[in-house]
Each structure stands twice: as structure tokens, then as C-alpha cells.
Amino acid sequence: RKKKWNYWCVTGKDFMFSVTLSDLDYAGMIFAYYLNYETKEFVEDSILAPFGSKIKMGEKVFDDAVYETEKCTVKMKTRDGVTELEVNWKNFNGKPLVSKINVHYPKGQETLSVVVPWDEKRFQFTSKHHSLPTEGYFIHGDKKIIFGKEETFGCLDFGRGIWPYKISWNWGGGTGVSTNALIGLNL
């Protein structure tokens, strides 16, 4: 099964914001969330797009990724070293959500790209882009959060591949201690 995703996470001084477009061949998922570090308020919502309908994603990291319907628009477009993350979600957990965020790619920025070959016909390619200076805002209802370029960083997890029906792998934790969490996916 073909799998594509563009997962963006923006980490600011007080808030984290994330938006993702994914096309899993038989279904697409559009989701976003944000977290207030101090209050622990976590708000998320998602849309299921049968057979990935209305999701347009290229094969290369800087290709446009777009989902556009009457109820929700998500655009991830890169021009001249800046990726624009625009969201206009009319009913995001009961309130409108709008974002206009610019992620800057400094010259010489290093990334980590890996290909996992499962067999002659199946593989996973992932490219991680991290520590990217980011600025902009998101608005949810009457709440407006501004991200300043000096204290905000963006991270992209870009994935493309043709996966086996069932797969499991080990992930490491972010605390410096290996977590050895075995995850079984039936995607």
C-alpha cells in the first residue's frame, strides 16, 4: 500500500502547533492540534478523506501538498526557501482555526533522509527537517497565538513509500533513554 505524509510541528515559546496531510491509499487523514505548555490544554481535530480524495501531494519534499474542500483548506507550499503552512478549518472542535505560518530554510540546513527497503517491491523513505526558524500565527476561535522567529522552530517529517500490509518497528524516546516501544500497525 502506498503511503504519503507531510507532518509539520511548530514549537514555540508557549505553544506547539501541528498540521498533517496523509494519504494512505485507501484513506486520507487531515489533522491538526495544538498544546499550551503551561495549562496543558490540548486541542485536536481530524478529517477522514476516503481513498485520499481531495488530497494532492507530490513525491518530492518541496512539492506542494494541498487539501481543499468547502469545510477545510490546508496548504503546504514552498517558495524561495520558505514553506508556508496555511490552514482554514471552519469547524475545528467547534470553532474556526486559521493559521499562517512561514518556515524558513537557512542555506546549508542539514536534514536526515533514510530509505528502509523491506523487499524488492516495498520501501519507506523518510526525510526529517528540523530546527527550522519559524514565524507566524494560528487563531482558534478568539485565541490568537503568535510565533516569533527568534524562539520558534519548525520540523517536517516527510514520508513516502510502499509498505507491507503489516509492519512493526522500534522507536527511541526523546529523553536520551531508549524506550524500545514496539508498535504494530495494520494500515
Side-chain angles (χ1 to χ4, degrees), residues 2-181:
K2 294 178 184 174
K3 312 246 183 275
K4 297 179 181 182
W5 65 80
N6 287 30
Y7 168 88
W8 277 100
C9 184
V10 174
T11 307
K13 187 176 73 167
D14 301 313
F15 278 82
M16 177 176 66
F17 177 80
S18 179
V19 60
T20 299
L21 291 177
S22 63
D23 184 347
L24 307 176
D25 218 12
Y26 60 92
M29 283 292 288
I30 301 88
F31 63 91
Y33 59 84
Y34 66 85
L35 171 68
N36 179 323
Y37 302 141
E38 184 179 338
T39 67
K40 309 299 185 239
E41 175 191 28
F42 180 78
V43 181
E44 68 179 326
D45 209 342
S46 62
I47 296 170
L48 178 64
F51 302 104
S53 64
K54 306 288 185 186
I55 297 174
K56 297 175 184 165
M57 302 174 77
E59 298 300 324
K60 298 177 184 174
V61 172
F62 296 118
D63 286 349
D64 292 349
V66 176
Y67 173 77
E68 201 162 7
T69 66
E70 187 178 303
K71 296 179 182 180
C72 178
T73 299
V74 175
K75 295 180 182 178
M76 302 170 176
K77 295 185 174 187
T78 303
R79 306 288 185 269
D80 300 321
V82 177
T83 298
E84 298 172 352
L85 305 176
E86 293 187 23
V87 176
N88 187 348
W89 197 315
K90 292 187 179 175
N91 184 0
F92 183 87
N93 237 343
K95 302 174 190 171
L97 173 73
V98 174
S99 78
K100 291 201 182 283
I101 295 172
N102 290 330
V103 182
H104 299 268
Y105 277 84
K107 288 188 179 201
Q109 177 73 22
E110 293 187 8
T111 62
L112 172 66
S113 297
V114 177
V115 174
V116 178
W118 284 304
D119 60 37
E120 290 181 14
K121 296 181 180 181
R122 294 174 185 89
F123 70 96
Q124 165 58 12
F125 170 76
T126 186
S127 188
K128 313 290 190 196
H129 300 230
H130 56 85
S131 306
L132 300 167
T134 300
E135 62 187 334
Y137 65 87
F138 76 88
I139 301 169
H140 185 222
D142 58 359
K143 180 182 305 186
K144 182 173 184 177
I145 305 303
I146 298 174
F147 292 115
K149 191 173 176 184
E150 299 302 318
E151 70 271 347
T152 306
F153 297 95
C155 176
L156 169 65
D157 180 7
F158 174 92
R160 299 293 186 273
I162 300 174
W163 289 48
Y165 183 71
K166 291 184 179 183
I167 190 71
S168 61
W169 69 86
N170 290 319
W171 273 359
T175 60
V177 178
S178 176
T179 59
N180 230 9

